[in-house]
Amino acid sequence: MTHVTEHPLVQGGRSAALATACVRGGVAAGLGLGALAVLVIAAWISSPYPDSGAGGALHLAAGLWLLAHGVDLVRTDTLSGLPAPLGVVPMLLVALPVWLVHRAARDTLDTSDGGDRPRLSTGAAVAAVAGGYLLVAAATVAYSGSGPLPADLITAGLWLPAVVVGAAGTGAWTALGRPLPGQRQAAAALRAVGLGLVTLVGGGAVAAAVSLALHARQAQAAYTGLVGEWSGSVTVLLLVLALLPNMAVWGAAYGLGPGFTLGTGAMATPLGLAGDPAVPPFPLLAALPAEGRGTWLHWAVVAVPLAAAVLQGRRVGRSAGNWTARDTSLTALGAAWGCGAVVAVLAGAAGGPLGTGRLAAFGPVWWQAGAATVLWGACVGVPVSLGVRAWGRRALRPKRKRKQKQKPVPVVAGAESGAVSGATDAPSPAPALSAVPAALKGLLSGLVPAPGAVSPPAPGAPGAGQTQPHPSGTVPEPARAGSDPGSGPGIDPDPDGDRYGDPYGGGYTDPYDDSGFEPYDYLPAAWEPASPPPPVPPAPSAD
């Protein structure tokens, strides 16, 4: 008997997999830091008047890398000599480290290459990748403390782990096939959150771009005043590109209603710009609205959150086919809360302090933007979801059949008794569909004899005859044997020598005993008008 035991190499394989995941995280951090260092050193080399040496450039690269993770920096070389915070994150810089962590976690859990390495659990993979990344981040925080832009330890302890773990978690989710919760309401709410976010941020970007195009002359003047040599132009242009996502979030916050602050004493909303703004000269800030009350062009930005809430509610309503109204409302409300939470995070990253005093608050206020998003989703998204649900259920509901008055069918004289009118009578209407089975019976009766029926004699044989038609036009039952001495058994003679109802002269019987049976030849075709049957000759008397 063979006993299955756990080999020590299995434990070593799992430890090696954890170490590999940790190394992947560290490599991802090093790649992001190295990419920013290359850009900063290239700008330092190309600058004709460098303020510091290579050490200063490396400290600046470390500070920018930490700023991309949401860590606030502290400027020590100010004119007043007092340290000033710097908390506005260029959101385009966030894409590089987040993508690197995402890819590291995804590759750790991806075993499609067919290797023999053990597969880690999702939690272990995320923890190992995040742990390796945070080791490099901790060393970078310590290194930045000796430079002109040291990191704020409080925000470094809060935002840095949150960003890294979140990016690693999305990578693990991608490796597992992007599964959604098993509950249909939760999955529908997540899809609605994604659609609402894309609409809201995309609409904010369009609004900001339109405003920047309307103030293109002011933006060009601000850009010209900042740049000097070609290296300065490239640096300012890269900074503008890195702040474009911030501009989109600002536009979304402006359309939501709360707007954004331009210093501690100024607020910009669709209703107007109130207070005295403290705006530094920068090309993107030239797109800010002018002071005074807002016009219809400013009020039109409200269409962005309105469209986002409508699409979000429509997405929930289309998923709520057989849900109750309560479940639909709760799902739409959950989507509103989820979208508000993400908008609050984006608003907190897009804004922040630029210094002390009046510049201590700059950009959207995170809790105001999040609360406004929830209100839009609750006030617009929930009714829209209920309306879409009701419309969908109306389309699926079976239509009620309307009672139609039946038109009276004209009755032909003599139809009840089955009498056939003569040649002078008016032609009768086309036979109903109920006569078709009778015609089929007649056709089959001439081809297949019924069980127990007497086979008629061949044409021309002695005693060949036909059942005598009834004067009313119906064919009666065949006469019994011996009823007529000059005829065959059960067959009446036919003086004309033909067989009614059989164009080929074969025997004719009705094996189904149907009193309403009519000969097949008397039925009109679908394309012919109905015509009365030919007159039936009287039967010869026995005398």
Side-chain angles (χ1 to χ4, degrees):
M1 181 176 181
T2 304
H3 295 276
V4 179
T5 58
E6 188 174 9
H7 198 272
L9 291 179
V10 177
Q11 295 287 346
R14 179 175 175 82
S15 301
L18 289 173
T20 303
C22 187
V23 170
R24 286 180 185 271
V27 171
L31 289 176
L33 184 58
L36 285 179
V38 169
L39 291 177
V40 172
I41 290 177
W44 171 73
I45 293 174
S46 61
S47 177
Y49 307 103
D51 296 335
S52 59
L58 292 178
H59 280 91
L60 179 60
L64 289 177
W65 186 77
L66 293 174
L67 186 64
H69 294 79
V71 179
D72 291 349
L73 303 179
V74 180
R75 293 189 295 114
T76 56
D77 54 347
T78 58
L79 296 177
S80 61
L82 298 176
L86 177 61
V88 178
V89 180
M91 298 184 68
L92 191 60
L93 294 179
V94 182
L96 179 61
V98 165
W99 178 74
L100 290 173
V101 180
H102 173 90
R103 191 187 66 171
R106 182 197 63 193
D107 294 344
T108 300
L109 289 175
D110 189 9
T111 58
S112 59
D113 53 356
D116 296 334
R117 58 188 176 89
R119 181 185 177 91
L120 297 176
S121 62
T122 305
V126 170
V129 172
Y133 196 97
L134 290 177
L135 288 176
V136 179
T140 307
V141 170
Y143 176 75
S144 67
S146 59
L149 292 174
D152 183 39
L153 297 181
I154 297 178
T155 55
L158 294 177
W159 285 103
L160 190 56
V163 171
V164 173
V165 173
T170 57
W173 179 61
T174 304
L176 296 177
R178 299 184 181 90
L180 292 176
Q183 190 176 7
R184 294 185 58 189
Q185 286 84 356
L190 288 178
R191 294 190 182 97
V193 166
L195 182 60
L197 283 175
V198 170
T199 307
L200 190 61
V201 177
V206 171
V210 171
S211 180
L212 186 62
L214 295 177
H215 299 84
R217 184 172 300 177
Q218 293 86 337
Q220 184 179 4
Y223 180 79
T224 306
L226 287 176
V227 301
E229 300 292 335
W230 68 271
S231 59
S233 302
V234 173
T235 303
V236 174
L237 182 60
L238 291 177
L239 185 57
V240 167
L241 293 177
L243 289 171
L244 285 180
N246 299 58
M247 188 178 180
V249 177
W250 283 37
Y254 185 80
L256 285 170
F260 45 82
T261 59
L262 299 175
T264 55
M267 178 69 71
T269 63
L271 298 178
L273 179 59
D276 184 17
V279 181
F282 195 73
L284 293 182
L285 295 179
L288 296 176
E291 298 182 12
R293 300 183 60 183
T295 61
W296 65 270
L297 189 60
H298 302 90
W299 301 337
V301 187
V302 182
V304 173
L306 178 63
V310 168
L311 292 178
Q312 186 172 312
R314 179 176 176 269
R315 186 67 180 85
V316 174
R318 293 185 62 182
S319 302
N322 53 355
W323 300 351
T324 62
R326 179 177 178 272
D327 292 340
T328 306
S329 302
L330 291 179
T331 304
L333 192 60
W337 275 99
C339 190
V342 179
V343 168
V345 173
L346 294 177
L354 284 178
T356 57
R358 297 179 60 187
L359 293 178
F362 202 78
V365 182
W366 65 271
W367 66 268
Q368 293 180 0
T373 305
V374 174
L375 288 178
W376 276 101
C379 298
V380 178
V382 173
V384 168
S385 64
L386 292 176
V388 172
R389 168 188 170 272
W391 182 263
R393 292 170 67 90
R394 175 183 176 275
L396 295 176
R397 189 179 301 117
K399 297 181 179 179
R400 297 181 179 178
K401 296 182 180 180
R402 297 181 179 178
K403 295 182 179 180
Q404 298 180 356
K405 296 182 179 180
Q406 297 181 356
K407 297 181 180 181
V409 180
V411 180
V412 183
E416 296 181 358
S417 61
V420 180
S421 59
T424 59
D425 296 338
S428 61
L433 295 178
S434 60
V436 177
L440 295 178
K441 294 177 184 179
L443 179 61
L444 294 176
S445 63
L447 299 177
V448 181
V454 180
S455 301
Q466 177 106 6
T467 56
Q468 181 178 0
H470 195 271
S472 61
T474 59
V475 181
E477 297 181 1
R480 301 187 180 275
S483 61
D484 192 347
S487 62
I491 305 295
D492 292 338
D494 184 5
D496 295 335
D498 60 351
R499 307 293 179 183
Y500 299 113
D502 190 356
Y504 302 101
Y508 174 75
T509 56
D510 182 17
Y512 300 96
D513 297 332
D514 189 359
S515 61
F517 181 79
E518 295 182 3
Y520 181 75
D521 287 351
Y522 290 169
L523 294 176
W527 59 85
E528 297 177 350
S531 59
V536 180
S541 60
D543 297 338

